[in-house]
Amino acid sequence: MRERDDPEVIGRRVQRLRAERGLTQRQLAEPAYTPAYISTLEAGRVRASEEALRHIAGRLQVAFEELTVGRPAHLATGLRLRLTEAQRVLADGRAEEAAAQYGVVRAEAEAHGLAREQAAALLGLGECALETGELTRARQCFEQAEEQLAGEPLPVRVPALRGRAVAHYLAGELRYAVYLLETALDELNRGGLHDPDALLLLYAGVIGPYMDMGAHARAAQAAEYALALAPRAGDPALIARMHRSVARTLLAEGRAAEADASLAKAAALYRQLSLRTELANCHWMRGYVCAQNGELDRAEAELRQAHTMLAESRAALYRSQAAVELADVLHRRGKSEEAAGLLRGVAGDFSSERGAVHAAAAHRLLGIIAEDAEDTEAAEEHYVRALSLLERAGASGDLADLCRLLGDLLRRTGRVEAALDAYRTGLGHRTVPGTTTLGPAPAHPPL
């Protein structure tokens, strides 16, 4: 609760409320105070005690909080209910409608000095912007939420920090995203702030960047910690998100059955919570797991389902990323023409600042399709573009594979020296598998 308004503001408020109710200063004052005291208070020349203000609030039939800070009774509770409704609308895939609701709540919370409710609305606006692919807008909302919560303990600030890291991750800034998440993990674990929900949010959030950077050992460790923390966490949506992230590392370790089981748990939780976009992302990850396990027919079905659901919810960036995964499966099933058409249809949704890793994957696949069609010039152009995107993002694992493809193409076209340079670049990214150049891993949680 914010401090009460200054005496002049309270005095004017008392005078207005008294006039609206048709009371005289004597009627407002009796029996505990004098009309002269009320006159002095209304003129702003005295700082009334809490006891006096409670007496006056009772006579005026308003809440003490409304009298002292101008905030209607139960406003905070009402705003929290509206935040919950906006969250439900977002979960149903209606990001633009949810953003409008969050925006109204934010304005009211700001007008009445309700910092936590304002921060919650900013978090919601950030999540809406992530879903619609407005990454700069998302990052700004999360930064503003952190500013609102600056005086709160770190566990309270973690959702805003994690949101900012996700915005950087989706923009292709993998190392900075990892830096943000690892720094928070270190502070929580070393400082004894062992909040299960906050830790689970951070460990689940760092898995994707680790995997894209080729830091598989760290990703696996983060997944193990997340699984161990899940029974202590109280948020079902958070637990479901964790299961979805963990599945990717289980698959990388060859544990396909466990990955599939983890995704089944996530899907069940999302259905229970009616989180449409998250459920779509779960279909997406199950398709990824199936594709890596060689079950291409099932992978295609899962990815088509994800793509359709994300298109319906207008989650533009996520839809485009799922399209790249689907195109890869279609190509592997011999449907290269459909795959290329799908990739060309979403090419405009990506840039070096927006979905860089998937943009590179799209160019890589278009290069492979061009090679199959014996269009070496187009293939080389796509490979070079993908290489540039991955170098900027620091996605080491994908870089090594791409350098091999480019090297093979250059060698087949007689450019041996250029091919050797490409191979050497790829080997450089394979030098120390499972690590990053970010320094020591974050401190361990007390499991």
Side-chain angles (χ1 to χ4, degrees):
M1 183 184 295
R2 79 185 190 197
E3 293 293 325
R4 70 170 67 166
D5 289 328
D6 63 53
E8 287 188 14
V9 174
I10 291 177
R12 288 195 297 271
R13 190 176 295 133
V14 169
Q15 187 178 43
R16 175 178 57 79
L17 291 169
R18 179 178 62 78
E20 287 174 358
R21 285 154 179 75
L23 298 174
T24 65
Q25 290 180 338
R26 181 177 297 280
Q27 288 171 321
L28 185 59
E30 291 178 342
Y33 301 92
T34 66
Y37 178 76
I38 298 298
S39 177
T40 305
L41 187 151
E42 289 184 350
R45 295 196 298 270
V46 64
R47 185 173 181 82
S49 66
E50 182 177 330
E51 182 182 2
L53 290 173
R54 288 195 181 279
H55 164 81
I56 292 168
R59 298 288 288 171
L60 292 170
Q61 297 184 324
V62 298
F64 174 75
E65 185 179 25
E66 184 173 355
L67 183 65
T68 55
V69 298
R71 183 183 300 152
H74 311 302
L75 174 67
T77 303
L79 290 180
R80 285 194 288 272
L81 285 171
R82 287 159 62 189
L83 285 167
T84 302
E85 172 61 18
Q87 187 176 14
R88 187 193 66 76
V89 172
L90 176 59
D92 198 37
R94 292 175 284 156
E96 292 173 359
E97 184 180 340
Q101 293 182 11
Y102 280 125
V104 172
V105 172
R106 178 198 174 185
E108 288 189 36
E110 184 176 10
H112 293 285
L114 293 167
R116 282 211 174 192
E117 286 70 22
Q118 189 180 347
L122 284 164
L123 281 172
L125 286 167
E127 293 294 340
C128 291
L130 283 181
E131 183 147 326
T132 55
E134 301 169 86
L135 302 184
T136 301
R137 167 71 173 151
R139 190 177 66 250
Q140 290 170 345
C141 289
F142 291 127
E143 286 172 352
Q144 290 170 10
E146 283 188 87
E147 289 171 11
Q148 284 293 316
L149 300 170
E152 300 287 349
L154 179 58
V156 177
R157 291 183 277 117
V158 159
L161 189 149
R162 171 257 170 201
R164 187 156 60 94
V166 169
H168 284 290
Y169 169 48
L170 291 175
E173 299 163 10
L174 275 62
R175 291 186 181 280
Y176 188 61
V178 168
Y179 164 77
L180 289 173
L181 296 165
E182 285 191 344
T183 301
L185 283 166
D186 254 338
E187 189 175 340
L188 284 172
N189 289 324
R190 294 190 192 282
L193 301 169
H194 304 306
D195 182 283
D197 280 1
L199 287 169
L200 184 57
L201 199 59
L202 293 170
Y203 279 119
V206 81
I207 289 171
Y210 276 158
M211 291 294 289
D212 286 344
M213 290 174 68
H216 298 141
R218 285 200 185 183
Q221 188 177 59
E224 292 298 333
Y225 291 155
L227 287 168
L229 286 161
R232 307 184 194 179
D235 183 351
L238 177 55
I239 296 169
R241 182 183 292 156
M242 177 277 300
H243 278 300
R244 200 183 78 222
S245 298
V246 162
R248 193 174 171 189
T249 64
L250 293 172
L251 183 67
E253 294 181 321
R255 297 154 66 182
E258 291 175 71
D260 201 49
S262 204
L263 287 167
K265 291 176 185 175
L269 284 165
Y270 287 142
R271 287 192 197 94
Q272 179 184 338
L273 294 165
S274 299
L275 299 177
R276 186 170 179 79
T277 299
E278 294 287 9
L279 181 58
N281 286 333
C282 193
H283 281 293
W284 174 5
M285 185 54 69
R286 291 186 82 171
Y288 172 84
V289 169
C290 292
Q292 298 301 308
N293 206 32
E295 303 172 66
L296 297 183
D297 53 344
R298 187 179 167 204
E300 182 180 340
E302 293 281 1
L303 289 167
R304 284 192 187 278
Q305 177 72 12
H307 188 256
T308 299
M309 291 176 74
L310 291 167
E312 289 171 353
S313 66
R314 299 182 183 177
L317 183 56
Y318 293 140
R319 180 204 67 221
S320 300
Q321 291 176 330
V324 175
E325 301 279 3
L326 174 58
D328 181 59
V329 170
L330 292 172
H331 170 67
R332 290 166 64 184
R333 299 199 73 193
K335 304 176 183 178
S336 296
E337 189 174 335
E338 184 183 354
L342 195 58
L343 292 171
R344 285 191 288 268
V346 300
D349 296 333
F350 295 121
S351 70
S352 57
E353 291 80 30
R354 191 171 184 268
V357 174
H358 277 82
H363 282 290
R364 173 188 175 278
L365 185 52
L366 284 168
I368 291 172
I369 293 171
E371 269 206 89
D372 291 344
E374 299 183 356
D375 187 349
T376 56
E377 186 177 342
E380 183 178 346
E381 184 179 328
H382 283 300
Y383 289 153
V384 170
R385 177 65 176 144
L387 192 62
S388 171
L389 288 162
L390 292 175
E391 283 178 334
R392 181 185 180 280
S396 299
D398 292 337
L399 263 168
D401 175 65
L402 187 61
C403 287
R404 178 189 59 80
L405 287 171
L406 179 58
D408 289 349
L409 175 65
L410 293 169
R411 181 173 52 82
R412 281 196 296 272
T413 54
R415 288 169 285 173
V416 177
E417 285 301 320
L420 287 172
D421 284 342
Y423 291 140
R424 289 189 194 103
T425 301
L427 285 170
H429 291 291
R430 286 291 191 195
T431 303
V432 189
T435 64
T436 72
T437 58
L438 297 171
H444 297 180
L447 300 176

